[in-house]
């Protein structure tokens, strides 16, 4: 255990990056407060692991203020839902009032002023807002998560399919567990990373044909990438009942992806998080049971 008495607030605590960060901080002996939207089995497991759990909402100023009281550093992670700008304004004001020292902000690689995605443009605006505070601020801009493969994967007739609108674009899938190491490292030592913007990538840049081959090798079955149009992708999401805000975002970032916005790789995970990021093969192998059935969002073949 450490005699360090700092307290870290993790929002999005039941999500992949938030939960992974909590686990790392607790295992290293640090005090953690987990902000959740509701009490359920996931929040109870966080409490059992040793986190202080608070129930609050990003859009409740008093609730966010209470969650930030006594906190040294915080991880800000808002879901892809409307209200990001309001939530960031509330967070920035509450953190300033509470004397919070630093924030790690989960943004996205497509964040920029001219973004076609409303969510991506809002992330860019929120980065600029946080940069204007006195908080030690670090922005993380990950490429597509490796977890995306589990969500959009189809198992059909003993073979795997990725029906996605990414053309021949490329990226290096980044696992949430690897991002958690970066988040924890910056929270624990924020000064060298103040005002930094880190893009986060996996170790190898691939197109989706390459990704399908890597998955096939790990799973031992044929896996196929079938490029589809953005229109078919958007229609399938709408038919599945995904929120319009998310459909608009993913449709536009599909175009960004084709245009190279999600491409490249670097050593930020290793340099900042002190961890070699997982390859696609390693990620699929570690998550093998998740590929025994189709993911919830797969795009079914037409006809």
């Amino acid at each position: 255990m450490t005699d360090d008495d700092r307290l870290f607030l993790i929002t999005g605590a039941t999500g992949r990056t938030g939960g992974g960060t909590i686990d790392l901080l607790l295992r290293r002996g640090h005090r953690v407060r987990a902000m959740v939207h509701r009490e359920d089995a996931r929040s109870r497991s966080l409490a059992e692991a040793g986190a202080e759990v608070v129930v609050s909402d990003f859009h409740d100023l008093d609730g966010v203020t209470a969650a930030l009281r006594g906190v040294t550093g915080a991880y800000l992670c808002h879901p892809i839902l409307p209200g990001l700008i309001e939530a960031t304004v509330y967070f920035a004001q509450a953190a300033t009032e509470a004397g919070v020292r630093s924030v790690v902000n989960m943004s996205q690689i497509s964040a920029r002023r001219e973004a076609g995605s409303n969510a991506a443009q809002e992330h860019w605006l929120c980065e600029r807002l946080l940069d204007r505070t006195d908080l030690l601020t670090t922005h993380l801009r990950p490429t597509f998560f490796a977890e995306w493969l589990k969500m959009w994967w189809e198992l059909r007739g003993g073979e795997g399919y990725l029906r996605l609108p990414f053309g021949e674009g490329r990226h290096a899938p980044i696992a949430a567990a690897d991002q958690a190491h970066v988040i924890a490292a910056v929270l624990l030592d924020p000064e060298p990373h103040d005002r930094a913007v880190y893009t986060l990538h996996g170790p190898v840049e691939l197109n989706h044909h390459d990704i399908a081959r890597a998955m096939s090798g790990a799973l031992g079955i044929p896996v196929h990438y079938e490029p589809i149009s953005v229109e078919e992708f958007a229609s399938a999401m709408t038919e599945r009942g995904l929120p319009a805000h998310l459909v608009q975002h993913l449709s536009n970032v599909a175009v960004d992806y084709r245009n190279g916005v999600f491409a490249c790789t670097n050593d930020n995970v290793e340099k900042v998080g002190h961890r070699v990021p997982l390859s696609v093969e390693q990620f699929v192998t570690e998550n093998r049971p998740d590929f025994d059935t189709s993911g919830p969002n797969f795009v079914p073949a037409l006809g």
Side-chain angles (χ1 to χ4, degrees):
M1 295 290 287
T2 176
D3 58 1
D4 188 334
D5 198 43
R6 290 178 293 175
L7 174 63
F8 299 100
L9 176 71
I10 306 299
T11 68
T14 58
R16 298 181 185 94
T17 58
T21 303
I22 290 171
D23 180 62
L24 288 172
L25 292 173
L26 289 175
R27 285 198 279 114
R28 295 172 186 176
H30 297 285
R31 298 168 60 217
V32 177
R33 180 178 293 158
M35 191 174 107
V36 301
H37 293 293
R38 67 186 68 84
E39 291 185 3
D40 57 18
R42 296 178 302 170
S43 66
R44 287 190 291 273
S45 76
L46 292 173
E48 290 167 2
E52 174 195 348
V53 176
V54 295
V55 179
S56 186
D57 185 276
F58 280 114
H59 306 283
D60 174 1
L61 179 58
D62 290 339
V64 172
T65 299
L68 284 163
R69 194 166 293 125
V71 165
T72 304
Y75 172 50
L76 176 60
C77 181
H78 191 277
I80 303 175
L81 291 171
L84 171 62
I85 293 176
E86 178 186 79
T88 304
V89 170
Y90 283 7
F91 174 90
Q93 181 62 32
T96 299
E97 292 174 1
V100 175
R101 186 160 177 263
S102 67
V103 58
V104 179
N105 174 46
M106 177 55 75
S107 185
Q108 53 188 256
I109 202 167
S110 54
R112 59 201 194 284
R113 194 184 199 283
E114 68 276 15
S117 157
N118 295 334
Q121 186 183 70
E122 289 172 2
H123 270 292
W124 180 83
L125 287 166
C126 289
E127 289 180 4
R128 306 290 73 74
L129 168 65
L130 290 169
D131 284 344
R132 288 178 171 85
T133 71
D134 292 330
L135 295 161
L136 297 172
T137 300
T138 306
H139 306 295
L140 304 183
R141 291 182 175 179
T143 191
F144 274 132
F145 286 25
E147 281 76 7
W148 173 278
L149 300 173
K150 298 193 294 186
M151 300 294 291
W152 300 88
W153 149 271
E154 180 186 8
L155 184 63
R156 174 173 19 110
E159 300 187 5
Y161 294 86
L162 297 171
R163 303 191 72 251
L164 294 166
F166 297 139
E168 300 302 313
R170 304 172 67 84
H171 80 297
I174 175 70
D178 297 327
Q179 296 177 66
H181 279 263
V182 175
I183 297 161
V186 177
L187 285 172
L188 292 170
D189 186 20
E191 290 92 343
H193 311 288
D194 185 30
R195 299 312 188 268
V197 178
Y198 293 126
T199 59
L200 300 180
H201 305 265
V204 182
E205 184 186 88
L206 308 165
N207 64 29
H208 274 73
H209 296 291
D210 299 326
I211 290 170
R213 281 190 288 270
M215 296 177 70
S216 178
L219 296 172
I221 62 173
V223 178
H224 314 278
Y225 168 49
E226 296 182 351
I228 63 173
S229 68
V230 174
E231 291 74 19
E232 183 181 351
F233 184 56
S235 177
M237 287 190 287
T238 300
E239 288 177 9
R240 287 199 181 277
L242 297 183
H245 183 76
L246 180 62
V247 174
Q248 195 273 346
H249 169 65
L250 294 180
S251 298
N252 278 277
V253 298
V255 177
D256 286 343
Y257 187 100
R258 292 179 176 185
N259 291 333
V261 173
F262 286 73
C264 192
T265 189
N266 58 35
D267 63 351
N268 283 339
V269 173
E270 191 166 2
K271 182 174 62 179
V272 179
H274 312 295
R275 171 181 168 97
V276 177
L278 296 173
S279 67
V280 169
E281 293 91 337
Q282 290 169 325
F283 175 82
V284 172
T285 299
E286 288 193 7
N287 294 272
R288 181 65 180 80
D290 292 306
F291 295 94
D292 290 339
T293 58
S294 297
N297 294 339
F298 76 87
V299 179
L302 296 175

